[in-house]
Amino acid sequence: MQPTRLFLAVAAGMAVATVYFAQPLLVTMGSDLGIASGTVGVFVTVTQLGYAAGLFFLVPLGDLLDRRRLIRLQFLLLATALLLTGIAQNAAMLLAGLAAVGALAVVTQSLVAYGAALSAPADRGRTVGTITSGIVLGILLARTVSGVVTDLVGWRAVYLLACVACLAIASRLAATTPQMQAHLTYGALLRSTLSLGWEPLFRESALRAFFIFGSFSTLWSSIALPLTSRSLSHTEIGAFGLIGAAGALAAGPAGRLADRGRGRLVTIAASVLLATSWAVIASGSLAGLAIGAILLDLAVQAIHVTNQSMIYRPELGSRLIGGYMVFYSLGSGLGAIASTALYERAGWGGVCLLGAAFGAGSLVTSVRGARRSARASRPCESCP
């Protein structure tokens, strides 16, 4: 029995949510363990560094091993890491748990590659879009769920409940059909992942991923700070995730446009939207934050789906997705630690300038990529 798109989307959303549960809880977790508010961004950064390591060392294994069994094992190990985080008694234990959560939450990308491999070429963009919608909802609703649960029973319960959910998903995957993979050595697999850097389209998409998720993380890693200063509760702060969840609406249409060869147009238009959304966010009002968050998330998810659809090749599925997402993780980690540190020194205006700069980087990358593609497709006048 093959897993449905919906199940893969739910599983991917659950896995990626574990990376983002901490964002509205940074101040509370730091206070509980004696960490200053100006450095709580390290919780997000260490998780993203773990995620980057997992993307490079674990996700490519999907091209070497049976993806279904690998995904199930990752969910079991993720449940263990969540348990460690939930019972952490000091900062070192918490950071170790969060790093492990990040490294194992890359099962999200294994699910994207698994779903793409199971799909016919004409439906691949739709499948990636559906799973990405689940990922978007997981990222944004993670903040809402963690805020509500923390107000009710404390932040540790967030991770303990997620542990139970991951165990349930692992048990469901045991019933799915195995998928055979190519026979490669692990060393050759990693070398193949590194060699992707020589491909212009991959470099362009990866650099764009760095910028868009740097912008994304700049907002969502620091938004708890100005909202906390307004004396909002964890539930109210987490509710902003419901507002941003509108970004999931962009995933499906973007995937269909990519299937029709309109990927370049999507990346340029969405990059313009991403950069300009920060002008709205900079107002600092609750309405401005809400509207700007919707615009930013729509742009980020449209570009993200298009990026993956443009670079995907069945024979390199897991390596392409894993290598690409390393840049996502690096951008997210930089945005998290830079935004929280910048907020303390330059306020919300400084954070907004940082987010807009990331958006401008995505636009420059997209325009340069479009020009390169146009030159490559132009007929050679001197050729016979």
Side-chain angles (χ1 to χ4, degrees):
M1 180 177 63
Q2 299 290 10
T4 64
R5 287 192 185 102
L6 179 60
F7 173 75
L8 292 176
V10 170
M14 181 64 244
V16 79
T18 64
V19 177
Y20 293 93
F21 282 143
Q23 288 189 349
L25 315 179
L26 294 177
V27 176
T28 299
M29 294 169 70
S31 176
D32 189 26
L33 297 172
I35 299 175
S37 61
T39 58
V40 292
V42 72
F43 295 156
V44 177
T45 299
V46 74
T47 307
Q48 291 296 340
L49 290 175
Y51 201 84
L55 287 168
F56 183 75
F57 291 106
L58 296 181
V59 173
L61 286 172
D63 291 333
L64 177 64
L65 306 173
D66 169 54
R67 282 198 185 103
R68 189 266 304 179
R69 292 175 179 170
L70 177 63
I71 290 170
R72 182 169 180 260
L73 175 60
Q74 285 179 296
F75 268 110
L76 292 172
L77 293 175
L78 177 57
T80 303
L82 289 164
L83 177 62
L84 175 64
T85 303
I87 63 174
Q89 297 301 309
N90 52 59
M93 190 174 177
L94 177 65
L95 291 173
L98 289 173
V101 167
L104 293 161
V106 297
V107 67
T108 300
Q109 306 311 318
S110 298
L111 287 163
V112 173
Y114 187 39
L118 292 175
S119 302
D123 293 329
R124 190 164 292 136
R126 180 185 174 193
T127 298
V128 172
T130 300
I131 299 174
T132 301
S133 293
I135 293 171
V136 176
L137 291 172
I139 291 173
L140 298 173
L141 296 182
R143 302 174 179 88
T144 304
V145 171
S146 64
V148 171
V149 172
T150 297
D151 279 339
L152 292 175
V153 288
W155 69 266
R156 296 179 186 277
V158 174
Y159 291 93
L160 298 178
L161 290 172
C163 170
V164 174
C166 288
L167 290 174
I169 291 171
S171 67
R172 170 68 175 81
L173 281 163
T176 62
T177 304
Q179 183 185 20
M180 299 306 296
Q181 301 298 311
H183 296 287
L184 295 170
T185 65
Y186 185 57
L189 202 67
L190 296 183
R191 288 193 297 273
S192 176
T193 302
L194 289 172
S195 70
L196 294 172
W198 294 103
E199 300 182 11
L201 181 58
F202 177 84
R203 287 200 307 271
E204 175 196 337
S205 296
L207 184 59
R208 192 160 45 232
F210 172 83
F211 285 127
I212 66 172
F213 284 105
S215 189
F216 182 89
S217 184
T218 293
L219 174 65
W220 291 110
S221 295
S222 63
I223 197 171
L225 300 174
L227 294 179
T228 299
S229 69
R230 293 170 179 258
S231 300
L232 270 64
S233 69
H234 295 107
T235 299
E236 290 169 326
I237 294 173
F240 268 78
L242 290 174
I243 296 170
L249 299 175
R256 289 191 289 273
L257 285 171
D259 285 339
R260 296 170 187 169
R262 302 294 181 87
R264 295 277 178 201
L265 177 61
V266 171
T267 58
I268 292 175
S271 293
V272 171
L273 180 61
L274 175 60
T276 56
S277 69
W278 282 98
V280 182
I281 295 169
S283 71
S285 67
L286 291 179
L289 288 172
I291 295 170
I294 292 172
L295 297 177
L296 181 144
D297 288 342
L298 283 169
V300 167
Q301 299 313 320
I303 296 170
H304 184 42
V305 171
T306 304
N307 272 350
Q308 293 179 93
S309 297
M310 287 170 63
I311 65 173
Y312 185 82
R313 301 204 305 271
E315 70 277 10
L316 295 173
S318 293
R319 281 162 282 175
L320 278 169
I321 299 299
Y324 162 80
M325 289 298 294
V326 166
F327 291 83
Y328 146 89
S329 192
L330 293 175
S332 294
L334 178 60
I337 197 167
S339 61
T340 53
L342 195 58
Y343 181 79
E344 192 172 75
R345 292 167 176 79
W348 189 241
V351 172
C352 291
L353 286 175
L354 174 65
F358 278 125
S362 174
L363 178 58
V364 170
T365 303
S366 298
V367 171
R368 291 182 63 183
R371 289 176 177 172
R372 178 186 56 79
S373 178
R375 287 195 301 267
S377 61
R378 190 177 302 156
C380 177
E381 295 179 359
S382 62
C383 296

